[in-house]
Amino acid sequence: AAAARVRAAAIATAAASPPPPGPTTKWVYRPANDKPIDVRDMPAIRAARAGRRINPGQVVEVSEVLSGEQDVKFLRLADGSGWVFQSKPNVGVMFEQAGGFDGTPLCDSGANR
């Protein structure tokens, strides 16, 4: 119970602070359920919606990744508009990383030639 309170406090602190400066990563919204996702105010699935929606196939810039409830990774949008979840329990993967910090692919298929 104490560990859960500490984690909740850390999440609340991170959510209240501005997005960290520095490199960002690109993520593509490819939901298992093929539905749009509402951006959240906080890194929690049941958090209030921030008034922005992301559609399947859309690419977003992420400035921070935070582990939250039920081992779900939350992605902080680099534009400061809020948070989305990388996967959702009982649904599946929602976002896939599109590339490295500079936008290049994470794997170079020609690296072993």
Side-chain angles (χ1 to χ4, degrees):
R5 283 193 298 273
V6 170
R7 177 183 244 182
I11 289 171
T13 300
S17 62
T24 61
T25 53
K26 293 179 189 274
W27 293 73
V28 181
Y29 183 51
R30 291 192 179 121
N33 62 7
D34 204 35
K35 295 181 180 179
I37 188 172
D38 291 319
V39 175
R40 305 307 202 263
D41 285 335
M42 305 267 302
I45 292 173
R46 293 186 183 98
R49 285 157 172 77
R52 179 179 174 203
R53 180 171 278 189
I54 296 172
N55 294 306
Q58 192 171 340
V59 176
V60 296
E61 292 278 336
V62 171
S63 60
E64 183 178 4
V65 179
L66 183 67
S67 293
E69 61 192 59
Q70 299 178 9
D71 295 322
V72 173
K73 289 181 182 166
F74 290 91
L75 312 175
R76 178 179 246 172
L77 301 178
D79 65 4
S81 63
W83 298 81
V84 292
F85 34 91
Q86 187 270 330
S87 64
K88 185 174 182 182
N90 302 318
V91 175
V93 171
M94 307 299 275
F95 282 86
E96 296 175 359
Q97 193 167 2
F101 281 102
D102 62 356
T104 58
L106 292 175
C107 297
D108 180 2
S109 58
N112 296 323
R113 289 184 195 167

